[in-house]
Amino acid sequence: MTSMKINTPKTRIQRKNTQAILDAALEVFSRQGFRGATLDQIATEAGLSKPNLLYYFPSKEAIHVTLLTQLMTTWLDPLREMDAAGDPTEELLGYMRRKLEMSRDFPRESRLFANEILQGAPRMIGALEGELRDLVEEKSTVIRGWIAAGKIAAMDPHHLLFSIWAMTQHYADFDVQVRAVLGPGHDPLAEAEGFLTTLFTKLLRPE
Amino acid sequence: MTSMKINTPKTRIQRKNTQAILDAALEVFSRQGFRGATLDQIATEAGLSKPNLLYYFPSKEAIHVTLLTQLMTTWLDPLREMDAAGDPTEELLGYMRRKLEMSRDFPRESRLFANEILQGAPRMIGALEGELRDLVEEKSTVIRGWIAAGKIAAMDPHHLLFSIWAMTQHYADFDVQVRAVLGPGHDPLAEAEGFLTTLFTKLLRPE
DNA sequence: TGCTGTTTTGACCAACTGGTCAAGAACACG
DNA sequence: CGTGTTCTTGACCAGTTGGTCAAAACAGCA
């Protein structure tokens, strides 16, 4: 019972390798999906041998689940930050911008999420019907309050949130298509910010 | 040289089985992506044996390419239909509605497309930079004309199209998430039509 | 009915997959 | 240093994968 270091379970080397593995796995899973990804690809990407991967994680699935769990938290943070006491339009536009920043800064996470949902969310359906649903319900109530107060135009809060998700994540998930259509010499995310600000401003404006 | 039936290369049975294979493959590829899908899954889904699949198609990749090629045509049709001579707002709303109908009627095709793009569009990048880009350029010119004529509000035509794609395809690709958030007793696509009609009406309205 | 071309399949293969294991290499620390 | 612990790896395994092939089953037609 002496010196149980439960709160310091990781050595330097463990932290470094665990991180390298998760980073490599994010890269591979986000492109290939769970089934399409192989431990060899992840190991190579991480600069480790395959048995070494399995020294740090018990299975391929464990790596995937770890990524998905981490993702769920950071994914919902921008919505959590939306403040019921703030200016409605600014809060919603701010949320949209934070989501757009995430598409710019964490496109792999966005693709990982998209891949999981496309496959029917086998490892995430619980979180979707739990955490996510609860948070959306909470924020929907806030939005309905703003509508009732005449601060923003009347609309279904669910579909308002869907539209923010769809449009911001599109620039991460469909990046290849966006760039193919625009051709070189464009900064899609920068252009999107202006466009989406206008779009949501018009949508939200009362009357 | 007698009786070269070049224009009737398929017997009844060939047509039936080829179709069953493509249908099964669409189901599997659209969920698992190219790498994640297996010939066994496709064969089982199609009610055929694996060697029998390979009697009709030379390889897994050939099935995938066939699906992608067919998809590209039907995928672009709704945009092609947009008429430069029609009423601008009605044309754009009509395009949005046709895309939404495709999300309702062909969700597997939508997911197949999404999967391909997520993976970096390895087998489609040519079509994106060719056909798609050309069509978008053509329609962008039309939209710019409508803007110049004061028929709709000023905005970047590219991002307008992106926003239509993002919001309509979201209801097919993220169907699981949408339903998890809304809970039972909803018809997401029906609700979306009303929401998106309002959204795009406000966005397009001049002034 | 028998014949010819089409369709179907069981058996098979080499490459790949996720995962194991025992033994060795590197490390921390007294 | 020595020694116990942590870390790494080559060799290996059973199951899966895309794909082949020869032979069998079948369809259509004379």
Side-chain angles (χ1 to χ4, degrees):
Chain A
M1 270 294 198
T2 54
S3 77
M4 276 179 65
K5 299 209 254 173
I6 285 183
N7 291 326
T8 318
K10 304 220 177 211
T11 69
R12 261 147 250 118
I13 213 164
Q14 273 174 350
R15 245 190 303 273
K16 192 195 70 174
N17 282 344
T18 309
Q19 197 46 51
I21 292 169
L22 288 175
D23 197 65
L26 176 58
E27 185 69 35
V28 178
F29 280 137
S30 77
R31 284 286 183 201
Q32 311 279 2
F34 179 74
R35 288 221 36 172
T38 73
L39 288 180
D40 277 305
Q41 290 175 78
I42 297 173
T44 302
E45 181 88 20
L48 298 173
S49 68
K50 186 170 60 167
N52 208 3
L53 275 201
L54 294 162
Y55 172 75
Y56 290 101
F57 290 88
S59 68
K60 181 185 178 185
E61 182 155 13
I63 304 177
H64 197 238
V65 168
T66 302
L67 283 175
L68 249 31
T69 305
Q70 287 187 5
L71 176 60
M72 206 59 202
T73 307
T74 58
W75 215 233
L76 295 184
D77 276 342
L79 183 51
R80 287 206 189 86
E81 285 177 41
M82 205 173 69
D83 182 7
D87 174 69
T89 303
E90 274 317 303
E91 287 298 322
L92 283 161
L93 284 179
Y95 173 51
M96 179 275 284
R97 281 198 199 97
R98 285 193 295 277
K99 285 288 289 176
L100 203 54
E101 278 161 26
M102 293 193 66
S103 282
R104 185 208 300 132
D105 300 335
F106 308 107
R108 300 179 307 176
E109 280 82 350
S110 187
R111 290 198 311 262
L112 179 72
F113 187 80
N115 248 311
E116 175 68 8
I117 304 292
L118 275 178
Q119 276 153 45
R123 289 161 241 275
M124 241 195 170
I125 188 69
L128 296 184
E129 292 173 340
E131 277 184 75
L132 175 64
R133 188 164 198 270
D134 293 345
L135 181 61
V136 166
E137 237 33 66
E138 177 198 328
K139 296 302 181 182
S140 290
T141 305
V142 171
I143 294 173
R144 276 191 213 95
W146 289 339
I147 292 173
K151 302 287 192 176
I152 59 174
M155 72 190 73
D156 185 329
H158 290 125
H159 291 272
L160 170 59
L161 292 177
F162 295 159
S163 70
I164 293 174
W165 300 345
M167 310 222 18
T168 55
Q169 290 171 22
H170 186 82
Y171 287 93
D173 302 341
F174 288 74
D175 176 71
V176 176
Q177 187 190 23
V178 166
R179 287 178 194 277
V181 166
L182 289 178
H186 282 266
D187 182 348
L189 270 297
E191 298 172 15
E193 193 189 331
F195 179 85
L196 294 182
T197 299
T198 304
L199 187 155
F200 283 107
T201 302
K202 288 187 178 185
L203 173 65
L204 295 171
R205 190 156 41 215
E207 219 38 25
Chain B
M1 273 293 198
T2 54
S3 77
M4 276 180 64
K5 299 211 255 174
I6 285 185
N7 291 326
T8 318
K10 305 221 176 211
T11 69
R12 261 146 251 119
I13 214 165
Q14 273 173 349
R15 245 191 303 273
K16 192 195 68 173
N17 282 343
T18 307
Q19 196 46 52
I21 292 169
L22 288 175
D23 197 65
L26 177 58
E27 185 69 34
V28 178
F29 281 137
S30 77
R31 284 286 183 201
Q32 312 280 1
F34 180 73
R35 288 222 37 171
T38 73
L39 288 179
D40 277 304
Q41 289 176 79
I42 298 172
T44 302
E45 181 88 19
L48 299 173
S49 67
K50 188 170 60 168
N52 208 1
L53 277 201
L54 293 162
Y55 172 74
Y56 290 101
F57 290 88
S59 69
K60 182 185 178 184
E61 182 154 14
I63 302 176
H64 197 238
V65 168
T66 302
L67 282 175
L68 250 30
T69 305
Q70 287 186 6
L71 176 59
M72 205 60 201
T73 307
T74 58
W75 215 235
L76 296 183
D77 275 341
L79 183 51
R80 287 207 189 85
E81 284 178 42
M82 205 173 70
D83 183 6
D87 173 70
T89 302
E90 274 316 305
E91 287 298 323
L92 283 161
L93 284 179
Y95 173 50
M96 179 275 285
R97 281 199 198 95
R98 285 193 296 278
K99 285 290 288 176
L100 203 55
E101 278 161 25
M102 293 194 67
S103 282
R104 185 208 300 132
D105 300 335
F106 307 108
R108 300 179 308 176
E109 281 81 351
S110 187
R111 291 198 311 262
L112 179 72
F113 187 81
N115 249 310
E116 174 68 9
I117 304 290
L118 275 177
Q119 277 153 43
R123 290 162 239 274
M124 242 196 171
I125 188 69
L128 297 184
E129 293 173 339
E131 276 185 77
L132 175 64
R133 187 163 201 271
D134 293 346
L135 182 61
V136 166
E137 236 33 65
E138 177 197 328
K139 296 302 182 181
S140 290
T141 304
V142 170
I143 294 173
R144 276 192 212 94
W146 288 339
I147 292 172
K151 302 287 192 177
I152 60 173
M155 71 190 72
D156 184 329
H158 291 124
H159 292 272
L160 170 58
L161 293 176
F162 294 159
S163 70
I164 294 174
W165 298 346
M167 309 223 19
T168 55
Q169 290 172 21
H170 186 82
Y171 287 93
D173 302 342
F174 289 75
D175 177 72
V176 176
Q177 189 191 21
V178 166
R179 287 177 194 278
V181 166
L182 289 178
H186 283 266
D187 182 348
L189 270 297
E191 297 172 17
E193 194 189 329
F195 179 85
L196 294 183
T197 300
T198 305
L199 188 156
F200 283 107
T201 303
K202 288 188 179 184
L203 173 64
L204 295 171
R205 190 156 39 217
E207 214 46 21

